[in-house]
PDB file of all heavy atoms in Angstrom:
ATOM      1  N   SER A1231     -17.617-114.701 -69.099  1.00  0.00           N
ATOM      2  CA  SER A1231     -18.361-113.808 -68.022  1.00  0.00           C
ATOM      3  C   SER A1231     -19.821-113.588 -68.363  1.00  0.00           C
ATOM      4  O   SER A1231     -20.446-112.904 -67.692  1.00  0.00           O
ATOM      5  CB  SER A1231     -17.542-112.616 -67.778  1.00  0.00           C
ATOM      6  OG  SER A1231     -17.479-111.871 -69.068  1.00  0.00           O
ATOM      7  N   ALA A1232     -20.160-114.097 -69.588  1.00  0.00           N
ATOM      8  CA  ALA A1232     -21.589-113.874 -69.937  1.00  0.00           C
ATOM      9  C   ALA A1232     -22.565-114.509 -69.042  1.00  0.00           C
ATOM     10  O   ALA A1232     -22.253-115.390 -68.209  1.00  0.00           O
ATOM     11  CB  ALA A1232     -21.715-114.386 -71.405  1.00  0.00           C
ATOM     12  N   GLU A1233     -23.765-114.074 -69.252  1.00  0.00           N
ATOM     13  CA  GLU A1233     -24.967-114.739 -68.368  1.00  0.00           C
ATOM     14  C   GLU A1233     -25.098-116.105 -68.773  1.00  0.00           C
ATOM     15  O   GLU A1233     -24.914-116.515 -69.972  1.00  0.00           O
ATOM     16  CB  GLU A1233     -26.177-113.867 -68.621  1.00  0.00           C
ATOM     17  CG  GLU A1233     -27.369-114.236 -67.703  1.00  0.00           C
ATOM     18  CD  GLU A1233     -28.499-113.357 -68.021  1.00  0.00           C
ATOM     19  OE1 GLU A1233     -28.331-112.137 -68.097  1.00  0.00           O
ATOM     20  OE2 GLU A1233     -29.679-113.835 -67.914  1.00  0.00           O
ATOM     21  N   GLU A1234     -25.550-116.961 -67.913  1.00  0.00           N
ATOM     22  CA  GLU A1234     -25.761-118.403 -68.143  1.00  0.00           C
ATOM     23  C   GLU A1234     -26.819-118.632 -69.274  1.00  0.00           C
ATOM     24  O   GLU A1234     -27.732-117.830 -69.418  1.00  0.00           O
ATOM     25  CB  GLU A1234     -26.169-119.118 -66.874  1.00  0.00           C
ATOM     26  CG  GLU A1234     -26.310-120.576 -67.062  1.00  0.00           C
ATOM     27  CD  GLU A1234     -26.794-121.311 -65.755  1.00  0.00           C
ATOM     28  OE1 GLU A1234     -27.068-120.598 -64.736  1.00  0.00           O
ATOM     29  OE2 GLU A1234     -26.996-122.500 -65.811  1.00  0.00           O
ATOM     30  N   ASN A1235     -26.562-119.553 -70.178  1.00  0.00           N
ATOM     31  CA  ASN A1235     -27.404-119.904 -71.290  1.00  0.00           C
ATOM     32  C   ASN A1235     -27.344-118.863 -72.349  1.00  0.00           C
ATOM     33  O   ASN A1235     -28.217-118.799 -73.220  1.00  0.00           O
ATOM     34  CB  ASN A1235     -28.840-120.263 -70.817  1.00  0.00           C
ATOM     35  CG  ASN A1235     -28.955-121.612 -70.232  1.00  0.00           C
ATOM     36  OD1 ASN A1235     -28.262-122.469 -70.557  1.00  0.00           O
ATOM     37  ND2 ASN A1235     -29.757-121.645 -69.200  1.00  0.00           N
ATOM     38  N   THR A1236     -26.314-118.029 -72.471  1.00  0.00           N
ATOM     39  CA  THR A1236     -26.176-117.037 -73.475  1.00  0.00           C
ATOM     40  C   THR A1236     -25.105-117.511 -74.514  1.00  0.00           C
ATOM     41  O   THR A1236     -24.044-118.096 -74.127  1.00  0.00           O
ATOM     42  CB  THR A1236     -25.678-115.687 -72.909  1.00  0.00           C
ATOM     43  OG1 THR A1236     -26.718-115.237 -71.952  1.00  0.00           O
ATOM     44  CG2 THR A1236     -25.494-114.593 -74.004  1.00  0.00           C
ATOM     45  N   VAL A1237     -25.434-117.269 -75.790  1.00  0.00           N
ATOM     46  CA  VAL A1237     -24.381-117.642 -76.837  1.00  0.00           C
ATOM     47  C   VAL A1237     -23.288-116.585 -76.907  1.00  0.00           C
ATOM     48  O   VAL A1237     -23.563-115.426 -76.881  1.00  0.00           O
ATOM     49  CB  VAL A1237     -25.130-117.776 -78.257  1.00  0.00           C
ATOM     50  CG1 VAL A1237     -24.133-117.985 -79.284  1.00  0.00           C
ATOM     51  CG2 VAL A1237     -26.326-118.738 -78.310  1.00  0.00           C
ATOM     52  N   THR A1238     -22.084-117.108 -76.699  1.00  0.00           N
ATOM     53  CA  THR A1238     -20.919-116.290 -76.599  1.00  0.00           C
ATOM     54  C   THR A1238     -20.063-116.134 -77.933  1.00  0.00           C
ATOM     55  O   THR A1238     -19.298-115.281 -78.074  1.00  0.00           O
ATOM     56  CB  THR A1238     -19.956-116.626 -75.491  1.00  0.00           C
ATOM     57  OG1 THR A1238     -19.582-117.945 -75.681  1.00  0.00           O
ATOM     58  CG2 THR A1238     -20.695-116.557 -74.198  1.00  0.00           C
ATOM     59  N   ASP A1239     -20.222-117.164 -78.802  1.00  0.00           N
ATOM     60  CA  ASP A1239     -19.536-117.208 -80.072  1.00  0.00           C
ATOM     61  C   ASP A1239     -20.316-118.260 -80.941  1.00  0.00           C
ATOM     62  O   ASP A1239     -21.030-119.047 -80.553  1.00  0.00           O
ATOM     63  CB  ASP A1239     -18.115-117.686 -79.749  1.00  0.00           C
ATOM     64  CG  ASP A1239     -17.181-117.346 -80.955  1.00  0.00           C
ATOM     65  OD1 ASP A1239     -17.644-116.634 -81.828  1.00  0.00           O
ATOM     66  OD2 ASP A1239     -16.031-117.759 -80.854  1.00  0.00           O
ATOM     67  N   GLN A1240     -19.918-118.154 -82.313  1.00  0.00           N
ATOM     68  CA  GLN A1240     -20.454-118.910 -83.258  1.00  0.00           C
ATOM     69  C   GLN A1240     -19.411-119.117 -84.463  1.00  0.00           C
ATOM     70  O   GLN A1240     -18.583-118.285 -84.588  1.00  0.00           O
ATOM     71  CB  GLN A1240     -21.810-118.445 -83.823  1.00  0.00           C
ATOM     72  CG  GLN A1240     -21.644-117.268 -84.708  1.00  0.00           C
ATOM     73  CD  GLN A1240     -22.991-116.778 -85.314  1.00  0.00           C
ATOM     74  OE1 GLN A1240     -23.837-116.226 -84.561  1.00  0.00           O
ATOM     75  NE2 GLN A1240     -23.264-117.132 -86.588  1.00  0.00           N
ATOM     76  N   SER A1241     -19.591-120.337 -85.029  1.00  0.00           N
ATOM     77  CA  SER A1241     -18.757-120.591 -86.208  1.00  0.00           C
ATOM     78  C   SER A1241     -19.585-121.429 -87.179  1.00  0.00           C
ATOM     79  O   SER A1241     -19.987-122.591 -86.667  1.00  0.00           O
ATOM     80  CB  SER A1241     -17.479-121.219 -85.722  1.00  0.00           C
ATOM     81  OG  SER A1241     -16.685-121.642 -86.814  1.00  0.00           O
ATOM     82  N   PRO A1242     -19.664-121.113 -88.345  1.00  0.00           N
ATOM     83  CA  PRO A1242     -19.145-119.958 -89.043  1.00  0.00           C
ATOM     84  C   PRO A1242     -19.762-118.585 -88.442  1.00  0.00           C
ATOM     85  O   PRO A1242     -20.799-118.710 -87.893  1.00  0.00           O
ATOM     86  CB  PRO A1242     -19.672-120.128 -90.522  1.00  0.00           C
ATOM     87  CG  PRO A1242     -20.201-121.445 -90.663  1.00  0.00           C
ATOM     88  CD  PRO A1242     -20.336-122.042 -89.288  1.00  0.00           C
ATOM     89  N   ALA A1243     -19.051-117.530 -88.650  1.00  0.00           N
ATOM     90  CA  ALA A1243     -19.498-116.271 -88.131  1.00  0.00           C
ATOM     91  C   ALA A1243     -20.798-115.717 -88.822  1.00  0.00           C
ATOM     92  O   ALA A1243     -21.107-116.180 -89.877  1.00  0.00           O
ATOM     93  CB  ALA A1243     -18.366-115.255 -88.276  1.00  0.00           C
ATOM     94  N   ALA A1244     -21.441-114.795 -88.235  1.00  0.00           N
ATOM     95  CA  ALA A1244     -22.607-114.123 -88.693  1.00  0.00           C
ATOM     96  C   ALA A1244     -22.245-113.595 -90.040  1.00  0.00           C
ATOM     97  O   ALA A1244     -21.146-112.934 -90.217  1.00  0.00           O
ATOM     98  CB  ALA A1244     -23.103-113.072 -87.708  1.00  0.00           C
ATOM     99  N   GLY A1245     -23.110-113.794 -91.032  1.00  0.00           N
ATOM    100  CA  GLY A1245     -22.964-113.278 -92.311  1.00  0.00           C
ATOM    101  C   GLY A1245     -22.084-114.081 -93.429  1.00  0.00           C
ATOM    102  O   GLY A1245     -21.883-113.785 -94.411  1.00  0.00           O
ATOM    103  N   ALA A1246     -21.506-115.125 -92.755  1.00  0.00           N
ATOM    104  CA  ALA A1246     -20.574-115.974 -93.678  1.00  0.00           C
ATOM    105  C   ALA A1246     -21.526-116.644 -94.690  1.00  0.00           C
ATOM    106  O   ALA A1246     -22.583-116.944 -94.504  1.00  0.00           O
ATOM    107  CB  ALA A1246     -19.934-117.018 -92.791  1.00  0.00           C
ATOM    108  N   PHE A1247     -20.923-116.777 -95.846  1.00  0.00           N
ATOM    109  CA  PHE A1247     -21.660-117.434 -97.070  1.00  0.00           C
ATOM    110  C   PHE A1247     -21.571-118.896 -96.967  1.00  0.00           C
ATOM    111  O   PHE A1247     -20.997-119.530 -97.836  1.00  0.00           O
ATOM    112  CB  PHE A1247     -21.050-116.877 -98.323  1.00  0.00           C
ATOM    113  CG  PHE A1247     -22.010-117.094 -99.491  1.00  0.00           C
ATOM    114  CD1 PHE A1247     -23.189-116.408 -99.585  1.00  0.00           C
ATOM    115  CD2 PHE A1247     -21.765-118.127-100.312  1.00  0.00           C
ATOM    116  CE1 PHE A1247     -24.073-116.648-100.657  1.00  0.00           C
ATOM    117  CE2 PHE A1247     -22.673-118.409-101.433  1.00  0.00           C
ATOM    118  CZ  PHE A1247     -23.838-117.756-101.538  1.00  0.00           C
ATOM    119  N   ASN A1248     -22.074-119.478 -95.940  1.00  0.00           N
ATOM    120  CA  ASN A1248     -22.214-120.946 -95.732  1.00  0.00           C
ATOM    121  C   ASN A1248     -23.762-121.158 -95.926  1.00  0.00           C
ATOM    122  O   ASN A1248     -24.495-120.827 -95.048  1.00  0.00           O
ATOM    123  CB  ASN A1248     -21.771-121.376 -94.346  1.00  0.00           C
ATOM    124  CG  ASN A1248     -20.225-121.214 -94.283  1.00  0.00           C
ATOM    125  OD1 ASN A1248     -19.865-120.126 -94.060  1.00  0.00           O
ATOM    126  ND2 ASN A1248     -19.587-122.260 -94.473  1.00  0.00           N
ATOM    127  N   VAL A1249     -24.111-121.953 -96.912  1.00  0.00           N
ATOM    128  CA  VAL A1249     -25.630-122.147 -97.189  1.00  0.00           C
ATOM    129  C   VAL A1249     -26.138-123.373 -96.340  1.00  0.00           C
ATOM    130  O   VAL A1249     -25.358-124.209 -95.996  1.00  0.00           O
ATOM    131  CB  VAL A1249     -25.863-122.444 -98.699  1.00  0.00           C
ATOM    132  CG1 VAL A1249     -25.552-121.092 -99.457  1.00  0.00           C
ATOM    133  CG2 VAL A1249     -25.135-123.573 -99.125  1.00  0.00           C
ATOM    134  N   PRO A1250     -27.354-123.443 -95.954  1.00  0.00           N
ATOM    135  CA  PRO A1250     -27.923-124.585 -95.395  1.00  0.00           C
ATOM    136  C   PRO A1250     -27.688-125.763 -96.157  1.00  0.00           C
ATOM    137  O   PRO A1250     -27.627-125.734 -97.355  1.00  0.00           O
ATOM    138  CB  PRO A1250     -29.414-124.235 -95.218  1.00  0.00           C
ATOM    139  CG  PRO A1250     -29.482-122.698 -95.306  1.00  0.00           C
ATOM    140  CD  PRO A1250     -28.336-122.339 -96.196  1.00  0.00           C
ATOM    141  N   PRO A1251     -27.474-126.927 -95.526  1.00  0.00           N
ATOM    142  CA  PRO A1251     -27.665-127.307 -94.270  1.00  0.00           C
ATOM    143  C   PRO A1251     -26.393-127.277 -93.400  1.00  0.00           C
ATOM    144  O   PRO A1251     -26.213-128.238 -92.585  1.00  0.00           O
ATOM    145  CB  PRO A1251     -28.309-128.647 -94.279  1.00  0.00           C
ATOM    146  CG  PRO A1251     -27.596-129.285 -95.427  1.00  0.00           C
ATOM    147  CD  PRO A1251     -27.393-128.086 -96.468  1.00  0.00           C
ATOM    148  N   THR A1252     -25.422-126.372 -93.685  1.00  0.00           N
ATOM    149  CA  THR A1252     -24.215-126.269 -92.980  1.00  0.00           C
ATOM    150  C   THR A1252     -24.407-126.375 -91.369  1.00  0.00           C
ATOM    151  O   THR A1252     -25.507-125.778 -90.943  1.00  0.00           O
ATOM    152  CB  THR A1252     -23.501-124.922 -93.214  1.00  0.00           C
ATOM    153  OG1 THR A1252     -23.170-124.860 -94.649  1.00  0.00           O
ATOM    154  CG2 THR A1252     -22.124-124.756 -92.537  1.00  0.00           C
TER     155      THR A1252
END
Side-chain angles (χ1 to χ4, degrees):
S1231 60
E1233 189 176 320
E1234 187 179 359
N1235 287 323
T1236 301
V1237 177
T1238 60
D1239 198 5
Q1240 75 178 74
S1241 177
F1247 193 75
N1248 294 77
V1249 296
T1252 301

